[in-house]
Amino acid sequence: MMKYPFLDLGKVTAPLRDELVEAAVRVIDSGRYIGGTEVEALERSMAELCGTDFAIGVSNGLDALRLVLRAWVIMGRLRQGDGVIVPSNTYIASVLAVIDAGLRPVFVEPDEITMNLSGRTVRKCLSDLGDEAVTVKAIMPVHLYGRICWDNELAAEVRTRDWLVIEDVAQAIGAVSSTDGVDGGRSAGGIGHAGAFSFYPTKNIGALGDAGAVTTSDAELANVVRSLANYGSDRRYHNIYAGYNCRLDPIQAAMLSVKLRHIDEENDARRRNAEVYLHEINHPEIVLPADVADDNVRECVWHQFVVRCERRDELKAYLESMGVGTDIHYAVPPHMQPALSCYELQGKLPVAEGIGAQVLSLPISSATSQDDARDIARIVNGFTRI
Ligand SMILES: *Cc1c(COP(=O)(O)O)cnc(C)c1O
């Protein structure tokens, strides 16, 4: 057992045990195990958090992304084969959702400092695409590692080109942008035309299993997504679309309602740990993640604290030997996975490939105390220098 585990989910959950048990018992005793008030309550909380008119609880984050894109195809807002911009260094789910809806992923390299797409990197990609740029109809900003992926230049590009925007908010629940979104919203999930959340257990707010949500202020989209997630039916035994079963379980909704009440505690603990690392790690070979401005610390909710190091594998082995658990998000970018080899992009996205070879995530959750973070920073600084 590591002295400083990368992520001890039991320890994250333990302080909420009594509230979770009470909520679980409530569901058990209710006799209602699909839909109902628990799901509705979570949906209200999510819509409120994101400043959107609607939220729809769904089965997981990948399904949240797929449902929105598939709904836009059904609604005629996207056509099969249209291009959707995705960051080249995202988790593969972002890309799988695009492919699943019959759309075409257009990989854009991230900014080296924020490791997110930016207006600048998107513009560069469009100019490289030339005439083909007109086939791009949507963009999926991924708020990777908890950091808002949205800026003035990107907002201007979206407006000029009339793109649809689906945010991948899997890693950034509770983050707030300092730039207005497409309709003025600034909360992650309320910046684009739709947001897709994951409550996979390791996310900042995790269920006790798989879960997800879609947020939007578009009533038609909300209806189509809700229906698609329930066999494509608009009322019982009446199917208007060839849909799926992607519903959120009431038991998970009940767990999530408890967790959501404590979202600020989780995100604040992460920020405090990030501040310790940012102030105290000072190793010449280790590149720290970008800090956030004091006037909007919520630009980043620190889903991961990701450092870069050319001798990453040595650093990881050293930290392990010193009792510090780490993880890599993500060693192999989507375009280099066998599943996506048909795009023949291997070697063509050097920024993503460099990130994959160099990134290392340090413990950051509320299960890591600030004292632990100080110890970890000191251990990191003790990595042999060459
Ligand atoms: C976790 C994650 C997803 C997928 O969520 P699941 O609930 O695991 O399906 C999608 N995108 C990103 C960026 C993620 O981190």
Side-chain angles (χ1 to χ4, degrees):
M1 189 56 193
M2 291 274 169
K3 173 141 193 242
Y4 306 102
F6 175 67
L7 175 59
D8 182 345
L9 283 177
K11 198 168 163 189
V12 171
T13 312
L16 308 179
R17 187 178 184 282
D18 292 346
E19 284 178 80
L20 292 169
V21 168
E22 190 190 316
V25 168
R26 194 173 66 229
V27 175
I28 292 166
D29 292 346
S30 73
R32 178 84 195 244
Y33 308 127
I34 293 286
T37 54
E38 298 288 348
V39 174
E40 286 160 15
L42 179 76
E43 291 177 342
R44 273 195 305 277
S45 308
M46 284 301 294
E48 194 179 321
L49 178 71
C50 301
T52 54
D53 292 345
F54 310 98
I56 302 112
V58 300
S59 36
N60 57 60
L62 173 59
D63 286 345
L65 291 165
R66 298 159 74 206
L67 287 162
V68 169
L69 292 170
R70 174 102 201 276
W72 278 338
V73 171
I74 286 175
M75 292 158 71
R77 306 230 188 128
L78 292 176
R79 276 189 306 205
Q80 303 271 306
D82 282 348
V84 180
I85 288 178
V86 290
S88 54
N89 61 324
T90 185
Y91 179 57
I92 197 167
S94 320
V95 185
L96 295 180
V98 172
I99 295 168
D100 181 78
L103 303 164
R104 190 170 42 85
V106 176
F107 294 91
V108 173
E109 293 265 66
D111 178 273
E112 289 265 10
I113 311 270
T114 63
M115 295 191 264
N116 267 338
L117 295 186
S118 68
R120 188 182 55 77
T121 69
V122 168
R123 276 202 186 145
K124 169 160 188 324
C125 169
L126 291 170
S127 82
D128 293 348
L129 280 176
D131 292 344
E132 207 194 314
V134 299
T135 65
V136 174
K137 302 289 184 201
I139 182 167
M140 185 185 292
V142 179
H143 307 303
L144 201 68
Y145 309 143
R147 187 180 300 265
I148 288 287
C149 174
W150 190 251
D151 59 41
N152 280 315
E153 226 180 320
L154 192 53
E157 206 62 45
V158 162
R159 233 183 347 264
T160 322
R161 297 189 181 258
D162 205 18
W163 282 340
L164 289 167
V165 179
I166 172 172
E167 296 167 69
D168 181 336
V169 206
Q171 303 190 358
I173 188 163
V176 178
S177 170
S178 44
T179 304
D180 282 351
V182 294
D183 293 317
R186 290 188 171 201
S187 300
I191 296 169
H193 301 99
F197 286 83
S198 164
F199 301 112
Y200 183 78
T202 62
K203 310 294 187 191
N204 289 26
I205 295 294
L208 273 58
D210 277 308
V214 169
T215 51
T216 184
S217 289
D218 177 339
E220 187 188 355
L221 177 67
N223 282 333
V224 177
V225 165
R226 191 177 287 290
S227 159
L228 271 180
N230 189 25
Y231 303 111
S233 61
D234 58 346
R235 55 182 196 276
R236 215 159 169 233
Y237 303 129
H238 185 259
N239 303 84
I240 40 181
Y241 314 117
Y244 313 98
N245 176 349
C246 296
R247 297 177 299 232
L248 171 67
D249 293 332
I251 186 85
Q252 295 303 348
M255 301 296 98
L256 288 166
S257 290
V258 171
K259 293 275 194 104
L260 262 187
R261 287 204 288 272
H262 299 277
I263 182 177
D264 289 343
E265 289 151 48
E266 179 61 34
N267 285 347
D268 289 350
R270 287 167 181 266
R271 187 176 65 247
R272 285 194 298 269
N273 285 336
E275 280 166 3
V276 169
Y277 289 149
L278 287 169
H279 289 134
E280 301 197 6
I281 296 177
N282 59 0
H283 189 291
E285 284 179 75
I286 294 172
V287 180
L288 293 169
D291 205 345
V292 286
D294 285 342
D295 58 358
N296 190 8
V297 291
R298 288 169 76 197
E299 279 268 342
C300 185
V301 292
W302 300 101
H303 174 59
Q304 301 298 354
F305 189 91
V306 177
V307 301
R308 288 181 70 164
C309 179
E310 280 182 27
R311 293 193 291 140
R312 189 264 316 276
D313 295 342
E314 276 176 68
L315 176 61
K316 182 170 174 51
Y318 158 76
L319 290 175
E320 219 143 277
S321 76
M322 299 295 284
V324 179
T326 59
D327 207 342
I328 298 175
H329 302 93
Y330 302 93
V332 180
H335 72 279
M336 287 171 69
Q337 298 288 351
L340 303 186
S341 59
C342 57
Y343 294 98
E344 296 182 357
L345 286 167
Q346 184 123 12
K348 293 190 184 150
L349 296 165
V351 178
E353 290 172 25
I355 286 174
Q358 294 182 355
V359 288
L360 188 67
S361 306
L362 301 181
I364 188 74
S365 80
S366 60
T368 297
S369 69
Q370 277 169 274
D371 284 340
D372 291 345
R374 269 180 220 108
D375 290 348
I376 293 167
R378 199 165 21 77
I379 294 170
V380 169
N381 289 336
F383 180 46
T384 35
R385 308 188 177 202
I386 45 172

